[in-house]
Amino acid sequence: MTQHAAAAALVPGRQPELVPDAGMEAARMAAVRRYDILDTPPDGAFDRVAAMAARLFDVPVATVTIVDSDRIWFKAAHGLEGVKEIGRDPGLCGSAILRDDALVIPDTLRDPVAANNPLVAGEMGVRFYAAAPITTSEGHRLGTVNVLDTKPRSISEDDTATLADLAAIVLDEMELRLSALRALRDEQKRREVERAAREQAEKDKTAIAAFASTLQRTLLPPALPVVPGLELACHYHTASVHDVGGDFYDVFPIDASRWAFFLGDVCGKGPEAATVTALTRHTLRVAAQIDPEPVTVLSTLNTTLLTDVTAGSRFCTAVFGLLAPREDGGFSVTVATGGHPPAYHLRPDDSGAVWVKTVRPKGGMLIGAFPQAHFTQTTFSLAPGEGLFLYTDGLTEARTPQGTMLGEDGLTGFLHQRTGPVTATALVEETVTLLASLPDGVGDDAALLALSVPDSDTAPDTGVAATAHTTAAPEHFGQER
């Protein structure tokens, strides 16, 4: 028997000082870390246990401690003000966690291990000490509930059992606290996952919108050309920044003096519609270079959409026109339509009012729907001061404040309200203002294309009209492109 063990045997119930096993100590410290209680703020539940222990045992000092690797940390300390931790010296708490049962030292000065502890040998002068280990269900002793007195005393077995019950209460509080912490961490993790998901969704929406915007721009001319003696203006309203529409338009030269223009709408939206839109624009341009007769161009497009596998079963509507300059400064315009809403020829009369005539050759069928589709064309003059207005059905299907669609009648009435010389830029700007004033906005993509021949009072000195080109998403009507 060692000298310490022999001396310890003099104290009733005192077993020889135990040496902690390295593996068990590592597992115990892992359990301490799992409860995440070290260095936490004071907690009323643990303070009440310490105060209850002091009253039950009629002692001046009672504590709830957690034993760290190199210190004894006080979670609660009744009657021990200003002390938050002490070193892990043998004799008291450091010894108590090595035992399965309570440690009781009736007189610390007669205990060779406890006698050198700072609480015993120091200013406090502890003479009585009893502790019950706070033991988990796995057998890990996290710390102790302690009662201390400055005079020797003895306690009964019932008192020792009471002390063990207080230690069990502390463990219950720690388990509740750990459950709350886990629930809080799970909630925080859930919120973090949701936040990350929201951020990713926003990034995805932004990326989709950027992709759709980029793809949409490739389907529209980057700018309208400058046509001598003609003013051009256009606008494209995107119903959704996250999807690609099938509306399209273009103006391009046929030869040194003639120009072609078109505007149309492919059935559907998304990448598939974008593919057909690209095919349609390309076909119209190429077909016009071979034979610019509008009916022939639309017939070629009809055949292409029916035979090209990339078109699938999609069809479109379109207006195709050919412009040829006249000696009086105006243009001869030949227009063919394929299932598209009418264009509008605007001409001011002598009183300043605007005369509006629909341009819709009879018999123009959907393009890409029937092998034997029939198309017709008409020719008229666009004189100085006159204009031609083309659009897709997103305009006429827009809802008025009364909840009804604007329709062709509403659009005709709107155009009749204009006065004075007709200019392409004013036509487009006023139509955009109309759309922006509607309470529900525009539910579908809308493309606008206007052509006008300046009269002698409005034409620039160079005789070359300006070109306006705007585009807008639902929240940015009229934004300059």
Side-chain angles (χ1 to χ4, degrees):
M1 181 179 296
T2 65
Q3 181 178 358
H4 280 178
L10 300 175
V11 182
R14 178 74 152 126
Q15 297 178 0
E17 185 68 15
L18 302 174
V19 178
D21 176 83
M24 293 179 62
E25 175 64 7
R28 188 193 73 81
M29 282 307 304
V32 170
R33 299 285 185 264
R34 185 172 66 251
Y35 282 89
D36 197 16
I37 196 169
L38 288 170
D39 300 311
T40 55
D43 189 311
F46 298 98
D47 292 339
R48 285 191 290 273
V49 170
M52 185 185 301
R55 289 195 303 271
L56 289 173
F57 288 87
D58 191 24
V59 294
V61 178
T63 64
V64 176
T65 67
I66 302 297
V67 179
D68 201 353
S69 58
D70 58 354
R71 60 173 176 155
I72 309 296
W73 179 73
F74 293 90
K75 178 59 181 172
H78 178 85
L80 193 62
E81 303 298 331
V83 180
K84 294 183 178 180
E85 62 181 56
I86 60 175
R88 187 175 168 176
D89 298 301
L92 300 181
C93 299
S95 300
I97 64 161
L98 301 177
R99 303 166 58 95
D100 293 326
D101 56 352
L103 170 62
V104 180
I105 307 177
D107 188 346
T108 57
L109 294 182
R110 297 183 61 192
D111 187 287
V113 180
N116 295 321
N117 188 278
L119 295 179
V120 177
E123 181 179 349
M124 186 174 179
V126 173
R127 293 291 302 278
F128 164 78
Y129 175 81
I134 304 168
T135 307
T136 69
S137 58
E138 297 88 0
H140 302 305
R141 294 178 284 275
L142 309 176
T144 56
V145 175
N146 317 278
V147 290
L148 302 86
D149 203 346
T150 55
K151 55 186 178 182
R153 59 183 294 180
S154 298
I155 60 174
S156 66
E157 291 185 2
D158 288 344
D159 291 334
T160 303
T162 298
L163 196 60
D165 288 340
L166 291 174
I169 292 173
V170 169
L171 180 65
D172 289 342
E173 288 294 335
M174 291 178 66
E175 292 287 357
L176 289 173
R177 180 182 177 279
L178 180 59
S179 295
L181 279 176
R182 284 173 175 167
L184 178 61
R185 287 167 181 163
D186 289 344
E187 177 64 16
Q188 290 174 336
K189 184 181 295 184
R190 183 187 65 80
R191 290 180 179 178
E192 177 62 24
V193 170
E194 289 180 350
R195 183 194 63 79
R198 285 194 301 271
E199 289 183 354
Q200 186 59 49
E202 287 300 322
K203 290 180 181 178
D204 291 345
K205 286 175 62 179
T206 301
I208 291 172
F211 172 77
S213 176
T214 300
L215 182 55
Q216 190 75 69
R217 286 197 298 271
T218 66
L219 301 177
L220 299 173
L224 294 182
V226 175
V227 179
L230 195 68
E231 180 176 325
L232 303 174
C234 60
H235 177 86
Y236 191 94
H237 167 74
T238 302
S240 171
V241 296
H242 303 295
D243 210 349
V244 183
D247 295 13
F248 57 89
Y249 55 82
D250 204 353
V251 179
F252 57 96
I254 296 297
D255 50 38
S257 61
R258 292 183 301 171
W259 294 76
F261 63 90
F262 60 76
L263 177 142
D265 184 3
V266 169
C267 171
K269 293 182 181 296
E272 295 84 359
T275 301
V276 179
T277 302
L279 174 64
T280 298
R281 291 185 68 246
H282 174 75
T283 302
L284 289 172
R285 274 179 162 264
V286 172
Q289 297 298 330
I290 299 172
D291 185 345
E293 192 71 16
V295 166
T296 304
V297 172
L298 293 187
S299 296
T300 301
L301 176 60
N302 187 69
T303 301
T304 300
L305 293 183
L306 289 170
T307 56
D308 195 303
V309 293
T310 60
S313 60
R314 293 182 182 270
F315 54 85
C316 74
T317 66
V319 176
F320 185 91
L322 185 62
L323 294 164
R326 291 160 44 99
E327 292 183 358
D328 62 359
F331 286 82
S332 174
V333 184
T334 301
V335 171
T337 63
H340 200 80
Y344 287 93
H345 181 191
L346 290 81
R347 182 179 66 196
D349 59 21
D350 294 337
S351 66
V354 174
W355 171 84
V356 179
K357 180 181 180 181
T358 58
V359 179
R360 177 162 48 187
K362 294 182 180 181
M365 301 173 66
L366 287 175
I367 306 170
F370 308 103
Q372 303 300 323
H374 178 71
F375 306 105
T376 58
Q377 64 188 38
T378 185
T379 300
F380 58 94
S381 297
L382 197 63
E386 299 180 0
L388 182 64
F389 183 64
L390 300 88
Y391 58 92
T392 55
D393 58 10
L395 171 60
T396 50
E397 292 177 358
R399 297 284 174 175
T400 67
Q402 291 73 36
T404 59
M405 288 195 301
L406 179 65
E408 294 179 12
D409 290 342
L411 178 57
T412 302
F414 165 74
L415 295 174
H416 267 301
Q417 295 174 6
R418 305 192 76 263
T419 59
V422 177
T423 67
T425 301
L427 268 175
V428 167
E429 289 179 349
E430 291 171 9
T431 306
V432 170
T433 301
L434 168 68
L435 291 175
S437 70
L438 300 180
D440 296 326
V442 183
D444 194 5
D445 296 342
L448 312 177
L449 177 63
L451 306 81
S452 64
V453 181
D455 60 20
S456 57
D457 296 327
T458 60
D461 294 339
T462 60
V464 179
T467 297
H469 190 187
T470 62
T471 185
E475 64 274 24
H476 296 298
F477 249 114
Q479 175 183 342
E480 285 298 323
R481 185 183 175 94

